[in-house]
Amino acid sequence: EDHAEFGQVTGGGSTSANSFSGGIGTSRKFELTDLFVDLTRAVTPNSGGSVVAQDQLRLRLEHKFSARMAGFVAFRAIKDSALGNNSTFTNDRYITGSLGFEWRLYRQFSIAGQYIYTTEKYTTSLSSGNSNSVIVSLIYQPHRLAQDAPILND
């Protein structure tokens, strides 16, 4: 259990809040597929002087299609909410998903591609933002072992 205390500049005095920080997750490796999933909760102060609880879900599934080709799909959702009697912090939700591949041309060279979609929504207003990006990379790893699996690391 966490106990957080913070001063309120506008109202004077201080406020405190109790909350839980922790998480649970797993990482499983199979012959051709790797799975990672976790759920965490952390309580931290932010730069605006608010104590924020951050709930986060992460998921990543990687699959090796051949000795030279691998792909992945990943997802992350974050929910930030203020703790205590705090009127200065705006609660928000942040979601991102990505889809990518890596193709090994030679042992040291590979081409990687990734599509990323991100959205953020503030719960107390109509403000939101979305973004799309595509990343293509040429990767050179001079000391990569021949048996290393091709996969991108976020």
Side-chain angles (χ1 to χ4, degrees):
E1 176 160 323
D2 289 325
H3 176 77
E5 194 169 313
F6 56 96
Q8 291 181 317
V9 176
T10 56
S14 67
T15 301
S16 64
N18 292 320
S19 185
F20 168 78
S21 287
I24 188 168
T26 188
S27 178
R28 303 288 304 195
K29 294 197 178 283
F30 302 100
E31 188 174 334
L32 297 175
T33 304
D34 294 343
L35 172 68
F36 170 81
V37 63
D38 76 349
L39 180 63
T40 60
R41 179 178 178 90
V43 177
T44 58
N46 72 2
S47 61
S50 301
V51 176
V52 177
Q54 184 178 83
D55 300 315
Q56 182 171 203
L57 169 66
R58 296 183 301 172
L59 171 71
R60 183 175 172 96
L61 182 65
E62 301 172 356
H63 185 74
K64 184 176 176 182
F65 297 105
S66 70
R68 293 182 151 204
M69 178 67 90
F72 75 92
V73 61
F75 173 81
R76 175 188 260 177
I78 300 172
K79 178 184 165 194
D80 291 329
S81 49
L83 291 179
N85 187 13
N86 186 349
S87 61
T88 61
F89 181 78
T90 303
N91 298 344
D92 67 342
R93 290 193 175 114
Y94 173 87
I95 297 172
T96 186
S98 58
L99 180 65
F101 73 93
E102 184 175 355
W103 177 35
R104 286 181 61 179
L105 302 169
Y106 302 101
R107 185 174 70 186
Q108 299 92 354
F109 288 99
S110 61
I111 295 175
Q114 185 174 8
Y115 169 76
I116 304 167
Y117 175 78
T118 303
T119 183
E120 186 169 16
K121 172 85 170 110
Y122 293 98
T123 58
T124 58
S125 71
L126 297 176
S127 298
S128 66
N130 301 309
S131 71
N132 294 284
S133 61
V134 175
I135 301 169
V136 177
S137 305
L138 179 60
I139 300 169
Y140 173 66
Q141 293 176 297
H143 303 291
R144 187 174 196 173
L145 300 175
Q147 68 271 17
D148 282 353
I151 201 67
L152 292 170
N153 291 320
D154 288 333

